[in-house]
Amino acid sequence: MQHPILLVGNDINNISRGQSWKDLLQEILTFCGTNCVQLDDKKPFPLLYEEIFLTAIQQSHIRERDLKGFIAKKIGDITPNELHARIRELEPAHVLTTNYEYTLEGSTPERHSSLIKERTFSIFRKYTLHNTEYWHIHGDCLNPMSINLGFEHYGGQLQQMRNYVVSGTTYSSPQAPRLPLLQRLKHGPVSTYSWLDLFFTKDIHILGLSLDFVETDLWWLLTYRARQKFQRNTIPVHNKLYYYIPSEFEKAAAFKLDMLKANDVQIVSISAANKTAYYVEVLKRIKQL
């Protein structure tokens, strides 16, 4: 496939050497000065973030801008690995990512190429390098307040997404489309103003993304797209979504894969000797399509 479209999650970063997610959480607690918050895998991270932040406010009057700035700096230290380079070698047309740093781009962008500049949410957040458009759908390190971490931020992001797709935007910029995506789709081909447009119009390959159920914004998007295709049948939805998963995790993730299939996502199971070999095979499959 020439110039594919990818949605890439954080797992490709796990091949790089560096601190673990658990280490980062402990550093966040230390920075906030909270010693009564218990880290527990059973706590969904967006709510754990709220627990940490709200506890810190009550104990030390910390500003969220300072906290997110600290997190942005830590995440920005992630080192690139061979997979980031291999992804660039595919020359994708678009790379959507939930990651905040710029290892996929290969360098820190000098300026955004978004339709409008967003301070908090990420409907249009884009950087263009070497003919590839990189969409940071959960915020980016150059704009710490855009980093989507807590339950409140997830709720606001979902609200903005639904406005863009269903009811229309209210941005003051004259460049922002006023009509909702659904209405524009009814009248023929649509311009790609936002990464959301791609979910309804282009084939997307999803890799390195666990798609945990705390990702409420993405699960809403998948569900809404599937409802439009199967229940209402009011707009043309002909694109395909592919979700790549290591074969060894397929059984344990069966409950999630069933939900993805119901939402019109095609599952691609791949066997490999290790994590690096798995992703090399994923990219090879994509290229051969």
Side-chain angles (χ1 to χ4, degrees):
M1 173 178 287
Q2 283 192 333
H3 311 303
I5 298 174
L6 313 176
L7 169 54
V8 183
N10 186 63
D11 191 53
I12 63 166
N13 290 342
N14 291 332
I15 294 173
S16 301
R17 293 183 178 180
Q19 67 177 181
S20 67
W21 180 245
K22 188 174 182 179
D23 292 336
L24 176 59
L25 286 176
Q26 192 59 57
E27 289 195 29
I28 291 172
L29 285 178
T30 301
F31 176 82
C32 291
T34 56
N35 53 19
C36 61
V37 174
Q38 299 298 315
L39 300 181
D40 190 323
D41 292 340
K42 295 179 181 178
K43 295 180 179 180
F45 178 73
L47 288 173
L48 173 61
Y49 173 84
E50 298 292 353
E51 181 186 7
I52 294 171
F53 175 59
L54 292 172
T55 302
I57 287 178
Q58 296 172 65
Q59 290 185 350
S60 57
H61 305 286
I62 192 171
R63 296 190 309 171
E64 188 168 26
R65 182 176 300 278
D66 296 332
L67 172 56
K68 286 196 171 183
F70 171 79
I71 294 171
K73 185 178 184 306
K74 287 293 181 180
I75 293 174
D77 291 338
I78 294 174
T79 57
N81 58 55
E82 66 173 280
L83 294 177
H84 300 108
R86 285 178 179 270
I87 287 173
R88 290 192 294 274
E89 288 171 3
L90 276 182
E91 298 182 344
H94 301 269
V95 175
L96 290 65
T97 182
T98 54
N99 301 346
Y100 314 122
E101 86 300 329
Y102 311 102
T103 48
L104 286 164
E105 286 95 332
S107 61
T108 301
E110 293 183 1
R111 63 182 63 88
H112 72 84
S113 56
S114 313
L115 185 69
I116 63 173
K117 184 177 181 179
E118 297 171 292
R119 297 184 181 278
T120 305
F121 302 113
S122 302
I123 304 303
F124 306 101
R125 190 174 305 280
K126 180 180 68 171
Y127 299 95
T128 304
L129 285 85
H130 308 297
N131 298 317
T132 297
E133 297 188 330
Y134 294 89
W135 304 83
H136 286 264
I137 68 177
H138 281 174
D140 69 287
C141 289
L142 286 177
N143 303 276
M145 286 305 291
S146 73
I147 294 178
N148 193 354
L149 293 167
F151 203 65
E152 161 64 17
H153 202 141
Y154 268 95
Q157 173 77 0
L158 179 50
Q159 181 180 23
Q160 297 298 321
M161 289 169 58
R162 199 174 194 285
N163 287 346
Y164 184 87
V165 175
V166 182
S167 59
T169 66
T170 57
Y171 296 98
S172 59
S173 171
Q175 295 176 293
R178 291 290 183 271
L179 292 178
L181 175 58
L182 289 187
Q183 193 166 338
R184 288 187 285 125
L185 285 168
K186 290 179 182 179
H187 295 100
V190 299
S191 299
T192 304
Y193 298 120
S194 165
W195 61 273
L196 292 162
D197 300 315
L198 300 171
F199 261 85
F200 292 82
T201 59
K202 303 294 184 181
D203 293 352
I204 299 178
H205 301 267
I206 306 170
L207 58 142
L209 184 65
S210 64
L211 267 178
D212 291 334
F213 297 133
V214 298
E215 307 280 11
T216 50
D217 54 341
L218 292 176
W219 278 101
W220 171 82
L221 184 60
L222 292 174
T223 301
Y224 194 82
R225 173 186 174 275
R227 280 176 172 264
Q228 291 301 312
K229 181 173 182 178
F230 299 125
Q231 181 187 22
R232 297 182 178 88
N233 195 27
T234 56
I235 60 170
V237 180
H238 303 304
N239 65 316
K240 296 180 181 179
L241 306 178
Y242 301 91
Y243 182 80
Y244 294 83
I245 184 172
S247 299
E248 61 188 289
F249 299 145
E250 197 171 5
K251 183 176 180 180
F255 66 101
K256 180 170 64 179
L257 299 183
D258 288 342
M259 294 185 180
L260 287 171
K261 291 173 187 175
N263 281 281
D264 193 42
V265 178
Q266 298 186 31
I267 307 301
V268 184
S269 175
I270 293 177
S271 298
N274 54 57
K275 189 185 289 286
T276 300
Y278 163 74
Y279 283 113
V280 169
E281 181 62 24
V282 168
L283 297 177
K284 180 181 175 182
R285 297 271 189 100
I286 294 172
K287 186 175 182 179
Q288 290 175 344
L289 285 175

